[in-house]
Amino acid sequence: MSVAKTRPLLAKRSLVYFTLGHTYFSRRGSAQTFLQKTFGMAERTRGSEPPLSPQVVEEGAEEEEEELSGGEESDLRTPSGRGSLLTRRGITLRVLLKDGLVEPGDGVLSIHYLGKKFVGDLLNDGKIRWVETGQIFNSPSAWATHCKRLVNPAKKSGCGWASVRYRGQKLVQYKTSWLHKYQPSADMSLVSEGEDDEMGDEEEEEGKTAVPTDDKNRKNKPELHDISLVPRRGDRERIPVRYCTLGTRDAARDPHTLVELSAFSAINRFQPFNVAVSSNVLLLMDFHCHLTTSEVVGYLGGRWDTNTQLLTVLRAFPCRTRLADRDSASAVEEEICQNLFMRGLSLVGWYHSHPRGPALPSLQDIDSQMDHQLRLQGSSNGFQPCLGIICGPYYHGNQGVASTITPFWVVPPPEQRPNDYGIPVAVEVTYVQDNFLTSDVLNEMMLLVDFYRAAPDLVQFHQFWCPDTTMMDKIKGSLSGHAPKDQAYSQILEHVYNQLINTH
């Protein structure tokens, strides 16, 4: 996924971009800004629309550096001034900028925390602009606290000067250089007063975990890989492993290693949100995943109620594109984005298939899900869950003909083990039966049939799934588990099934 074009858009406004495929989805209140900011139209019309006022965030007040007036900053250099009683709060980014130890610039600041990287711009006034959302922070501590709480909500402080890096070096080192230059007799222990309290295992140093370049490029994608070599019957089966056996992140480990899900109770946590999923969502998603022996991906649209903490998934949006076809993927996702907006829905998650394997997340899925959760949590609207769903239609370990559908979420690893993988946990979901099969779902099913009609990996529905069940019998049986209350749906779907048979 190319992210090069997103930087000026993200830096300009306080937006949330959620990467699932090849483009970025944003959530805003107007159609114009929604479509422009999502698909790069704002790059061409940026001069015609005034930027919104950036949001200034002042979290981490318990560690906020004191902003000094010009006179006070000058006094820091004189033995008789405030510098004689210097503490870590006495030197600010504005001081370092004024004295030329650092320079303003785009993307010069960074934070590495529990496997996640945050990038910021250093502004002329010493404030920090987070590239991801365009939010403005008054100090390194405020920015670090905000970012770390996105990954770990239990985090109480950010330890900014020891966590934030300027061009790869910790800011605390620049503070030390300032003291050496202007107060050579100062007690160097005052420089890091309280700043190294949280260091050690918590921070993830750049380069500490060697990850091949190809793995890095794949990390932000929801398993957008060619799976034409998915194991067939008789091939070596992918055996899931328990999370506790993984240990520290290992670049040599197969990223397609499947991991068993844990329960929230097993890690001494409560599920932080409730989930309700429409039966039409399951029906369309299951239908999509049955059509091909290759992996498919799609999005989930719905609503998030902050008062009841309920995530309602109301619509599935299949991606009608081959996973390696980046050009058509952009157009497909633009259409999905428009459909989300026109229906008044938010992007609340994603789904993909494991055609012949267990419906369990791989290590790659875990990293992708963690990244997606982080992007939605970065919203200025506060916390919003991101639901991941895996559908396993043709795994012979399934019970009967029904696909296995697995909703999951990822809990960050413990702070004392920052190089561990995230913990995949099962999400308890309430399935809500729709009254009838809507016309837009039926239309989407027909579009999928047309798209895969000539595909070489289209499932041969006249063939047998097992000795007494054809592939067509299997898909019918699986979809019957997602039936609406109106029984007339079965007659409607027969037309779709006939179209599938006629594709061969």
Side-chain angles (χ1 to χ4, degrees):
M1 180 190 308
S2 174
V3 298
K5 68 176 183 178
T6 65
R7 178 173 168 71
L9 301 180
L10 296 177
K12 181 181 176 185
R13 296 190 178 180
S14 181
L15 297 174
V16 176
Y17 283 76
F18 184 52
T19 58
L20 289 179
H22 306 287
T23 58
Y24 286 77
F25 282 58
S26 71
R27 299 186 291 113
R28 288 202 64 81
S30 72
Q32 182 183 29
T33 55
F34 182 87
L35 297 177
Q36 286 183 347
K37 301 304 286 185
T38 300
F39 306 113
M41 293 172 63
E43 285 280 32
R44 300 189 293 273
T45 61
R46 182 161 42 182
S48 63
E49 187 178 9
L52 298 179
S53 300
Q55 179 183 3
V56 179
V57 180
E58 298 184 357
E59 295 190 46
E62 67 273 10
E63 291 194 65
E64 189 87 19
E65 286 80 4
E66 295 180 21
E67 291 293 336
L68 308 178
S69 67
E72 289 174 321
E73 289 170 358
S74 300
D75 289 344
L76 288 175
R77 302 180 187 83
T78 66
S80 59
R82 184 173 175 174
S84 58
L85 299 175
L86 187 64
T87 69
R88 67 187 181 98
R89 295 178 183 270
I91 305 174
T92 66
L93 277 175
R94 194 168 64 181
V95 173
L96 299 183
L97 284 166
K98 185 174 183 179
D99 291 329
L101 274 74
V102 297
E103 296 179 350
D106 292 343
V108 296
L109 300 176
S110 62
I111 297 172
H112 296 260
Y113 180 68
L114 295 181
K116 303 301 172 186
K117 182 178 180 180
F118 305 86
V119 179
D121 303 331
L122 179 56
L123 306 181
N124 292 326
D125 59 1
K127 294 182 180 180
I128 298 170
R129 179 173 57 210
W130 185 17
V131 169
E132 187 72 17
T133 65
Q135 291 169 282
I136 305 296
F137 296 85
N138 286 331
S139 69
S141 293
W143 183 42
T145 299
H146 179 83
C147 292
K148 290 182 179 182
R149 284 176 179 168
L150 294 179
V151 180
N152 176 18
K155 188 67 179 170
K156 294 182 179 180
S157 62
C159 198
W161 285 80
S163 301
V164 178
R165 297 169 179 268
Y166 173 80
R167 300 190 185 278
Q169 275 195 318
K170 296 176 184 177
L171 282 178
V172 69
Q173 294 175 286
Y174 291 91
K175 184 181 291 190
T176 302
S177 298
W178 188 95
L179 281 175
H180 278 306
K181 182 175 182 180
Y182 294 105
Q183 293 186 335
S185 61
D187 183 356
M188 290 298 109
S189 65
L190 294 176
V191 176
S192 57
E193 178 186 337
E195 288 173 348
D196 294 324
D197 295 346
E198 301 178 30
M199 297 302 291
D201 292 336
E202 176 186 298
E203 299 299 330
E204 180 173 329
E205 305 291 342
E206 285 188 88
K208 180 180 287 185
T209 303
V211 180
T213 301
D214 291 343
D215 288 349
K216 289 182 179 179
N217 293 336
R218 291 197 302 264
K219 182 177 180 181
N220 290 330
K221 303 176 185 176
E223 289 222 355
L224 301 181
H225 54 277
D226 181 6
I227 58 167
S228 59
L229 300 179
V230 171
R232 267 67 173 176
R233 298 183 68 178
D235 291 346
R236 182 176 62 85
E237 186 178 348
R238 295 162 66 188
I239 305 298
V241 302
R242 298 181 63 186
Y243 176 81
C244 62
T245 66
L246 291 176
T248 303
R249 186 181 295 270
D250 183 0
R253 190 185 292 273
D254 182 0
H256 302 139
T257 300
L258 300 180
V259 184
E260 295 179 358
L261 295 179
S262 301
F264 277 98
S265 59
I267 57 174
N268 297 318
R269 296 202 183 193
F270 293 101
Q271 183 171 309
F273 51 89
N274 299 313
V275 181
V277 179
S278 157
S279 61
N280 280 342
V281 169
L282 299 175
L283 187 143
L284 181 55
M285 178 177 63
D286 199 9
F287 180 77
H288 184 200
C289 295
H290 267 94
L291 296 183
T292 171
T293 59
S294 295
E295 183 173 334
V296 300
V297 67
Y299 304 114
L300 302 173
R303 296 188 179 94
W304 167 240
D305 190 324
T306 57
N307 295 322
T308 61
Q309 297 291 288
L310 174 63
L311 184 73
T312 307
V313 184
L314 299 171
R315 183 70 157 81
F317 294 90
C319 287
R320 297 188 303 275
T321 181
R322 312 302 297 183
L323 295 183
D325 187 354
R326 293 175 178 269
D327 294 334
S328 64
S330 297
V332 168
E333 293 189 342
E334 178 174 350
E335 179 185 353
I336 292 174
C337 187
Q338 293 173 348
N339 285 334
L340 278 167
F341 178 77
M342 295 304 294
R343 289 173 170 80
L345 301 177
S346 298
L347 186 62
V348 297
W350 64 295
Y351 72 86
H352 70 288
S353 66
H354 288 179
R356 289 191 171 90
L360 293 171
S362 66
L363 295 177
Q364 192 173 39
D365 293 333
I366 292 171
D367 283 344
S368 294
Q369 175 66 19
M370 189 70 223
D371 286 342
H372 302 335
Q373 290 173 193
L374 182 60
R375 290 185 184 278
L376 282 189
Q377 289 181 28
S379 167
S380 59
N381 295 327
F383 172 78
Q384 175 182 322
C386 168
L387 184 68
I389 296 181
I390 303 173
C391 180
Y394 294 115
Y395 177 51
H396 281 270
N398 292 345
Q399 297 295 318
V401 297
S403 301
T404 299
I405 295 178
T406 305
F408 75 105
W409 205 59
V410 175
V411 174
E415 285 194 359
Q416 62 271 24
R417 299 183 62 86
N419 292 325
D420 284 7
Y421 295 95
I423 307 170
V425 290
V427 174
E428 294 184 4
V429 172
T430 299
Y431 296 109
V432 180
Q433 186 179 27
D434 287 300
N435 290 325
F436 51 87
L437 185 65
T438 60
S439 58
D440 62 334
V441 171
L442 180 61
N443 180 62
E444 188 65 52
M445 295 175 77
M446 293 304 299
L447 290 174
L448 286 170
V449 172
D450 289 340
F451 177 78
Y452 289 104
R453 187 181 299 276
D457 51 359
L458 177 69
V459 170
Q460 305 298 305
F461 289 100
H462 63 278
Q463 294 182 351
F464 281 87
W465 159 248
C466 60
D468 59 350
T469 305
T470 65
M471 292 291 190
M472 180 55 67
D473 293 332
K474 190 215 173 298
I475 188 174
K476 288 182 178 180
S478 186
L479 265 59
S480 67
H482 318 309
K485 295 177 182 178
D486 181 7
Q487 295 303 308
Y489 90 97
S490 58
Q491 299 176 0
I492 298 174
L493 285 187
E494 279 301 321
H495 174 67
V496 179
Y497 296 144
N498 289 335
Q499 292 296 312
L500 280 179
I501 289 295
N502 293 334
T503 56
H504 303 295

